[in-house]
Amino acid sequence: MEEALTPYGIIADDIPIAFNVFMHVAINSASGAIEVLPPLSKPGDRIVFRAEMELIIGLTACSAGQSNNFSFKPIDYIVSSTRPQWLAEKDWSTSAPLWSPGIQP
């Protein structure tokens, strides 16, 4: 990640802690132990973020075996400057969350 972001003037100390969207991590409240568990997400689950300003995005797939059931398969992602048709039809006036498991285009 550091190597990929260096051309943009971003150094290692500027890279924040990962925002793990689909990773399933449990924290034992008594001991403080952290455990990476198999994901709760299912194939086809997705999440959509809408940028409110220009930004630089760094994407990576986690290499922790437990986080992907030891499959180490590629992940699909789309970065677009336009809104997909299925998302363009979303009624943005509601306060309901856009994402939920199994959302279909």
Side-chain angles (χ1 to χ4, degrees):
M1 184 71 71
E2 178 183 355
E3 185 178 325
L5 294 174
T6 298
Y8 300 97
I10 300 171
I11 61 173
D13 287 342
D14 292 334
I15 300 171
I17 295 172
F19 173 51
N20 297 313
V21 177
F22 289 110
M23 192 169 180
H24 181 197
V25 179
I27 301 173
N28 183 308
S29 61
S31 68
I34 297 174
E35 185 178 12
V36 177
L37 301 171
L40 298 174
S41 58
K42 305 287 184 263
D45 284 354
R46 65 181 81 180
I47 190 165
V48 176
F49 296 99
R50 182 177 68 179
E52 298 286 336
M53 58 188 283
E54 291 186 11
L55 51 94
I56 296 171
I57 301 169
L59 297 172
T60 183
C62 183
S63 59
Q66 300 88 339
S67 71
N68 54 27
N69 292 324
F70 295 94
S71 65
F72 301 106
K73 296 184 294 188
I75 59 170
D76 293 328
Y77 62 89
I78 298 170
V79 177
S80 175
S81 62
T82 60
R83 190 177 297 158
Q85 185 60 36
W86 66 269
L87 189 56
E89 296 167 358
K90 167 78 174 136
D91 179 3
W92 292 100
S93 65
T94 67
S95 59
L98 174 62
W99 180 86
S100 63
I103 189 171
Q104 297 296 315

